[in-house]
Amino acid sequence: MKKFTSVSDVENLQEIIKKALQIKENPLSETEKGKGKTIGLVFLNSSLRTRLSSQIAAQNLGLNVLTLNAAQEAWNLEFADGAVMNGDTVEHIKDAIEVLNQYCDIIAVRCFAGMKSKEDDVNESILSQFERHAKVPVISLESATRHPLQSLADCITITENWKKEHKPKVVLTWAPHIKPIAHAVGNSFAEWMQEMDVELVIANPEGYDLDKNFTKDVKVIHNQDEALKDADFIYVKNWSSFDDYAAMPEVKESWMLTNEKLANTNQGKVMHCLPVRRNVELSDEVMDGENSIIYQQAKNRIFSAQAVFSEILNGLNSK
């Protein structure tokens, strides 16, 4: 594996899921693998699970870990090509990346959608610069359009919780929120589930369809109750409008997941990437109930990261 920014960078999804589950059984099985190598974790946005799970995963592999909270601790970065830097920005992103090339064997970066320019976000205006200027492998810790380490953890979690022979029905359901939320988790989950042996359905209100480049031919249902019928897994997530970019069209129906709605499922397991706004996206009774596998999902973030870091090291160590 030369880089990790989407499911297309994974040669065999089932093999990396298997590897992650083996790592989960023995997280310290490869403590010498990263010896003498450094991973730079660059955070342009807030993080809890991604930050901690990535640090644990890297340390389990013996990697030296540098963590940069770039938005708070570094110089104000300029991202525009050809910019005349006579304002608030002090360092151009390509200069910063060139320095990271000198210090790191792997660069992992987390950046969010700006939610202002649809073109900038769709074209990954920040992540693309890391891919363009980095001379070492780049790992996405989330970007404007995707969250691949989260999606791999989701695949691991579904695999652990499904032992039956028939395909599970997986529903990605929109949930309410107090502010416009980016599409990365929804896009990425839809993309990865299409590589899994599942029946995927997306449920969202009118006006909230995700980018077809990610959902492709997946069935989209605008009635949540209809979509949830006989579901085996329910992934709860908010996102804003894609067509009317970053808008929040009015939704009159109740889309918060409750136990009453779960009764329509096949004892469906509930998933969420966290953080979650309790009693807005889903109710306390669901979050804390026996159907919730949300904390298991969060723990698996360690093993998704460790599996990817290990695969990247395979490539570096073979040189």
Side-chain angles (χ1 to χ4, degrees):
M1 188 184 291
K2 296 180 179 179
K3 67 184 181 76
F4 183 78
T5 60
S6 76
V7 70
S8 63
D9 295 317
V10 176
E11 186 174 335
N12 187 315
L13 178 54
Q14 289 304 314
E15 282 301 313
I16 200 166
I17 292 171
K18 181 180 177 182
K19 176 170 185 163
L21 290 171
Q22 289 171 342
I23 289 170
K24 188 172 185 176
E25 290 181 6
N26 186 4
L28 300 180
S29 60
E30 296 182 309
T31 54
E32 296 293 310
K33 195 168 196 176
K35 187 176 181 179
K37 290 187 169 56
T38 297
I39 184 169
L41 306 177
V42 181
F43 291 89
L44 296 170
N45 303 94
S46 302
S47 175
L48 189 154
R49 280 148 296 279
T50 299
R51 181 190 306 272
L52 299 182
S53 63
S54 297
Q55 289 177 338
I56 294 168
Q59 290 165 358
N60 285 348
L61 291 165
L63 280 159
N64 180 39
V65 184
L66 301 178
T67 302
L68 176 64
N69 301 311
Q72 292 84 34
E73 299 171 351
W75 300 111
N76 287 343
L77 293 169
E78 176 61 59
F79 294 96
D81 289 334
V84 177
M85 293 173 55
N86 58 0
D88 293 337
T89 56
V90 178
E91 183 161 30
H92 200 283
I93 186 62
K94 59 185 176 183
D95 299 324
I97 295 170
E98 187 55 50
V99 172
L100 290 169
N101 285 330
Q102 317 304 313
Y103 297 164
C104 305
D105 300 284
I106 304 167
I107 298 172
V109 59
R110 178 179 175 93
C111 53
F112 289 169
M115 304 297 287
K116 295 178 180 178
S117 167
K118 184 176 185 177
E119 181 180 6
D120 283 351
D121 290 345
V122 167
N123 292 325
E124 293 284 7
S125 62
I126 297 176
L127 180 64
S128 62
Q129 298 218 41
F130 279 85
E131 293 190 272
R132 188 183 319 140
H133 299 298
K135 297 181 176 68
V136 300
V138 171
I139 294 171
S140 170
L141 301 177
E142 187 170 5
S143 69
T145 64
R146 293 180 171 96
H147 197 347
L149 283 178
Q150 176 67 57
S151 296
L152 177 54
D154 300 337
C155 293
I156 295 164
T157 307
I158 288 173
T159 300
E160 282 184 306
N161 285 277
W162 190 253
K163 306 301 180 186
K164 301 177 183 178
E165 292 184 0
H166 67 276
K167 286 185 182 182
K169 179 180 178 181
V170 179
V171 177
L172 169 62
T173 180
W174 182 91
H177 208 283
I178 66 168
K179 64 180 182 179
I181 298 294
H183 308 94
V185 172
N187 286 344
S188 200
F189 185 75
E191 198 170 48
W192 284 69
M193 283 299 107
Q194 290 172 80
E195 300 297 322
M196 293 278 284
D197 189 22
V198 304
E199 176 195 351
L200 176 63
V201 173
I202 299 174
N204 58 257
E206 296 278 0
Y208 283 93
D209 288 0
L210 289 166
D211 184 352
K212 277 293 221 176
N213 286 318
F214 295 96
T215 61
K216 300 190 186 301
D217 296 324
V218 174
K219 182 187 290 185
V220 178
I221 298 176
H222 296 130
N223 181 303
Q224 189 183 39
D225 290 335
E226 178 185 344
L228 290 176
K229 183 173 172 51
D230 299 326
D232 299 295
F233 294 90
I234 304 98
Y235 200 110
V236 180
K237 188 70 182 84
N238 175 266
W239 57 85
S240 55
S241 175
F242 177 73
D243 290 335
D244 186 9
Y245 196 65
M248 298 175 65
E250 183 182 3
V251 177
K252 295 181 179 179
E253 304 85 0
S254 173
W255 280 74
M256 182 179 75
L257 190 66
T258 61
N259 274 350
E260 184 180 358
K261 292 184 177 182
L262 274 184
N264 195 35
T265 71
N266 185 25
Q267 297 182 329
K269 301 293 186 182
V270 178
M271 303 173 70
H272 192 290
C273 63
L274 296 175
V276 64
R277 288 188 179 259
R278 284 172 174 256
N279 302 308
V280 176
E281 297 177 78
L282 49 75
S283 63
D284 280 338
E285 62 184 7
V286 172
M287 183 73 191
D288 300 326
E290 61 182 16
N291 293 71
S292 173
I293 54 173
I294 293 171
Y295 298 134
Q296 178 185 352
Q297 186 184 355
K299 184 174 182 178
N300 283 337
R301 290 295 308 278
I302 298 171
F303 312 114
S304 67
Q306 194 166 331
V308 169
F309 295 173
S310 178
E311 288 296 300
I312 294 287
L313 286 169
N314 284 343
L316 291 177
N317 292 337
S318 66
K319 291 182 179 179

